[in-house]
Amino acid sequence: MVLDALSKANMLAEAEKTFDAMSDRDVASYTIIISVCGRLRKTDAAMKHFNRMLEEGVRPNAFAYSVLVEALGKMGLANDAEALFRKMSDNGISPNVVAYNALMKAYVKAGRLRQALKLESEMRIKGTRPDIVTYGTLINACSKLREVDRAFSYFARMREEGIEPNRVCYASLIDACSKSVKLNSAFQVLQEMRKNQIRPDLYAFNTLIDACGRARMSDRAFDCYYNLLESGLQPDTVTFNALISACGRSRDINGAFKALNLMIDEFGYSPDLHTYNTLIDACSKAKDASRAMEVYRRLKAENVQPCAVTYNALIDAWGRAGRTDMAMKLLQNLEDDAVVPDCYTLNTLVHAFCRVGDMSRAFELISYFDTKFRVVPDQVTYNTIIEALKKAERYDEAWDMFDQMIQSGLQPTKVSYNSMACGCLRALDAHGATKLFETYLVYGADIELDVTTYSAIIECCIRGCQLRSAVDVFYKMNREMVQKLTHLGRSLVTELRRQGDDVTADNLAWQFSNQSRG
């Protein structure tokens, strides 16, 4: 069929001309033309053909709906994809596995990962059995959520249902291990892949190199690189960027430049902006601002246009070196290059000045960015300022910033509560610790405080004779946290008895004992 051949060759203009000349357009021909539009990301054209199909009285089937749902999903139009999917059911057409997969991919593309996972349950309830594409998409969603155990669970379930994983499933599982910094698990997946006669592709190796970087093991990243070569594969720019990044995370600056030289000398690749940005970031992490500037000058000499990420990494490099003068000079260079700074730029500069204790300049920068660039502080900005004020023992100002963060509509993070709790303990501000925990109960529904924060709040309340507040905090902690704070629980019970409150001491000791036993 001519239309099908033109579609597979992605020759849209010729395909549409052939399609328009057809006198017997049916659902199959409409599906083909919608499919090629979707592959070429011509969503408007795909919708036009779908609507034309309806106008001509041709009833779309599940496959016709599926290709349009997939086209919308690829463009990030998850809401439209979902609406079309539901319309299919409303029109009496049962979604098939292809349709479910298309909507699941749309959810993942849009970052609606929990909905993607929930869709699998809906499939089963409706009697649609997942296939290998379903499982590959589910594992990918788990990877993005950093839920590696759940990814392995889907992988196991796939096999239990007689579906043998393909290269994509294995690579997605390696990626899940990488994002969760489970390096040994990632290499075990690679071994199993080979055991099952599935040859790892370049994507799998690049993902493994990234996993080594997240584990800060540049030597193993280079081992993966040489293993890649031994497998007969040719690295690409992604490989070398991953190698440079791995060395940066490992503070191996010489390894980063070695990777750059291999990229250029051995394979003739030209570094792109991402390569240069990654290399500058590696220099920054190694606290080598001078080499970061050398990379910047090389970038400019090769007529590569820097972006906000470039300048952010450079500013960070000089900030780590305590050279706020150079950081401000780079801000001027950024403006001269007509690069628009972002909140990360603001945060990097604020952090640089906080490092040297120049809080006045940090506050001036916040005002400057708001006025000139319409860049307002985010949670990271506030947390940086709060931590610096705490270290300077300027606790009242730290409270002002904490309150201002909430008033601006931002929810305090785990870092916010940690800094404030430690500040209260340093100042022996038991009333402040009580207020902080009350604030957490109002605004922290989605946050699980860590042991450091709980410990600081409880110890502060005990030392400040706010025993009732300390008891309230203990009652609201989960079992795992109670077990970690056994020593403070015992101290609180002892202090309650010393104050003559045996009833509260007995109740707390009983609850504490039960939770500690599990």
Side-chain angles (χ1 to χ4, degrees):
M1 186 178 181
V2 176
L3 180 63
D4 189 41
L6 293 171
S7 171
K8 288 177 179 176
N10 290 330
M11 299 172 67
L12 180 58
E14 292 82 353
E16 287 189 317
K17 188 180 293 184
T18 300
F19 181 76
D20 290 338
M22 293 173 62
S23 59
D24 56 343
R25 291 185 289 269
D26 58 10
V27 66
S29 56
Y30 269 108
T31 302
I32 291 171
I33 198 68
I34 292 168
S35 178
V36 66
C37 291
R39 282 200 305 276
L40 297 175
R41 298 180 181 272
K42 303 287 185 181
T43 312
D44 290 342
M47 286 297 300
K48 180 191 76 174
H49 288 299
F50 187 83
N51 291 330
R52 181 180 176 185
M53 174 170 55
L54 299 177
E55 291 167 1
E56 292 187 357
V58 177
R59 188 170 187 264
N61 58 19
F63 286 103
Y65 275 105
S66 299
V67 293
L68 186 54
V69 169
E70 185 169 7
L72 292 167
K74 284 180 179 177
M75 295 301 293
L77 302 172
N79 289 338
D80 293 336
E82 183 179 44
L84 185 66
F85 180 88
R86 301 304 174 196
K87 186 177 180 181
M88 180 180 2
S89 298
D90 293 342
N91 290 339
I93 300 172
S94 298
N96 57 13
V97 67
V98 179
Y100 274 110
N101 289 341
L103 182 58
M104 193 177 288
K105 288 178 182 177
Y107 283 149
V108 172
K109 171 82 173 176
R112 292 160 62 175
L113 304 173
R114 297 291 176 195
Q115 283 182 272
L117 299 182
K118 287 179 181 177
L119 197 60
E120 185 252 352
S121 299
E122 180 183 322
M123 287 177 68
R124 292 183 181 278
I125 291 171
K126 296 291 180 67
T128 303
R129 187 185 177 194
D131 63 7
I132 194 165
V133 176
T134 316
Y135 279 111
T137 307
L138 289 168
I139 294 169
N140 183 31
C142 292
S143 172
K144 293 179 184 297
L145 285 166
R146 288 170 168 72
E147 294 186 1
V148 67
D149 291 339
R150 192 167 186 175
F152 273 102
S153 176
Y154 281 124
F155 193 80
R157 190 189 301 173
M158 173 171 55
R159 286 190 149 167
E160 289 168 3
E161 295 179 0
I163 302 172
E164 283 302 314
N166 59 13
R167 186 179 286 110
V168 174
C169 293
Y170 276 111
S172 293
L173 192 58
I174 291 172
D175 189 51
C177 295
S178 170
K179 286 186 169 64
S180 298
V181 200
K182 301 282 187 181
L183 186 58
N184 290 335
S185 296
F187 277 98
Q188 287 170 7
V189 174
L190 180 70
Q191 290 173 359
E192 183 181 331
M193 196 174 179
R194 286 172 164 161
K195 181 181 176 182
N196 291 324
Q197 306 299 311
I198 297 178
R199 184 170 176 260
D201 60 5
L202 186 58
Y203 177 79
F205 277 109
N206 288 347
T207 305
L208 271 173
I209 291 171
D210 181 66
C212 294
R214 291 175 188 270
R216 299 187 178 186
M217 300 180 70
S218 58
D219 289 345
R220 291 195 75 175
F222 273 104
D223 288 343
C224 286
Y225 168 73
Y226 292 120
N227 200 328
L228 178 159
L229 297 178
E230 291 168 3
S231 298
L233 296 169
Q234 177 161 321
D236 58 9
T237 55
V238 175
T239 311
F240 291 108
N241 290 343
L243 261 180
I244 293 169
S245 177
C247 292
R249 284 172 165 156
S250 306
R251 310 299 189 262
D252 179 9
I253 190 65
N254 292 329
F257 279 93
K258 174 185 174 181
L260 179 71
N261 292 334
L262 286 170
M263 176 183 186
I264 298 169
D265 299 337
E266 297 292 328
F267 291 93
Y269 293 129
S270 297
D272 58 15
L273 179 60
H274 182 63
T275 308
Y276 283 121
N277 288 345
T278 307
L279 190 58
I280 290 170
D281 185 61
C283 294
S284 172
K285 286 184 169 67
K287 297 183 180 180
D288 195 338
S290 297
R291 291 186 83 173
M293 285 302 290
E294 288 175 14
V295 177
Y296 171 68
R297 294 188 191 102
R298 179 172 177 174
L299 173 155
K300 296 282 279 186
E302 294 182 9
N303 294 317
V304 177
Q305 180 62 36
C307 65
V309 175
T310 316
Y311 282 107
N312 292 344
L314 284 165
I315 291 168
D316 185 51
W318 287 108
R320 288 171 186 260
R323 290 288 304 276
T324 53
D325 58 326
M326 286 298 297
M328 290 303 295
K329 183 179 178 182
L330 284 161
L331 177 62
Q332 185 59 57
N333 289 355
L334 176 150
E335 294 184 49
D336 292 343
D337 278 341
V339 174
V340 179
D342 53 22
C343 199
Y344 194 94
T345 317
L346 170 63
N347 292 337
T348 307
L349 281 165
V350 166
H351 198 184
F353 281 100
C354 286
R355 274 194 183 102
V356 298
D358 192 345
M359 302 302 300
S360 297
R361 290 285 282 159
F363 284 116
E364 288 172 9
L365 279 165
I366 292 174
S367 177
Y368 178 71
F369 267 69
D370 186 7
T371 304
K372 178 141 192 196
F373 306 114
R374 294 290 182 265
V375 173
V376 297
D378 65 1
Q379 290 155 314
V380 175
T381 321
Y382 282 107
N383 288 342
T384 303
I385 294 281
I386 289 169
E387 179 65 16
L389 290 169
K390 180 202 78 177
K391 287 180 177 178
E393 299 185 355
R394 294 162 63 175
Y395 303 118
D396 289 343
E397 292 173 80
W399 269 111
D400 289 341
M401 292 302 294
F402 184 79
D403 291 337
Q404 186 178 320
M405 173 166 51
I406 295 173
Q407 289 164 10
S408 68
L410 295 171
Q411 300 290 340
T413 67
K414 186 184 295 187
V415 174
S416 317
Y417 288 109
N418 189 288
S419 291
M420 292 301 299
C422 292
C424 290
L425 180 58
R426 279 190 185 186
L428 287 181
D429 180 9
H431 290 289
T434 302
K435 173 189 170 184
L436 182 67
F437 192 70
E438 289 171 351
T439 304
Y440 167 68
L441 295 178
V442 175
Y443 295 103
D446 299 327
I447 300 170
E448 184 64 48
L449 299 182
D450 61 19
V451 67
T452 303
T453 307
Y454 271 119
S455 178
I457 291 173
I458 293 168
E459 185 177 350
C460 185
C461 289
I462 293 173
R463 291 171 64 182
C465 297
Q466 296 288 320
L467 303 185
R468 185 67 254 176
S469 296
V471 171
D472 289 343
V473 174
F474 253 110
Y475 281 155
K476 290 181 172 65
M477 290 192 310
N478 61 37
R479 176 174 295 164
E480 180 183 359
M481 196 61 65
V482 169
Q483 291 171 342
K484 290 178 179 178
L485 295 175
T486 304
H487 63 293
L488 281 178
R490 288 172 181 158
S491 297
L492 180 55
V493 169
T494 300
E495 192 62 26
L496 285 165
R497 294 198 191 285
R498 195 176 72 80
Q499 295 290 331
D501 192 351
D502 290 331
V503 174
T504 305
D506 289 342
N507 287 337
L508 182 63
W510 181 80
Q511 290 204 19
F512 181 71
S513 177
N514 280 350
Q515 290 202 38
S516 294
R517 288 195 207 100

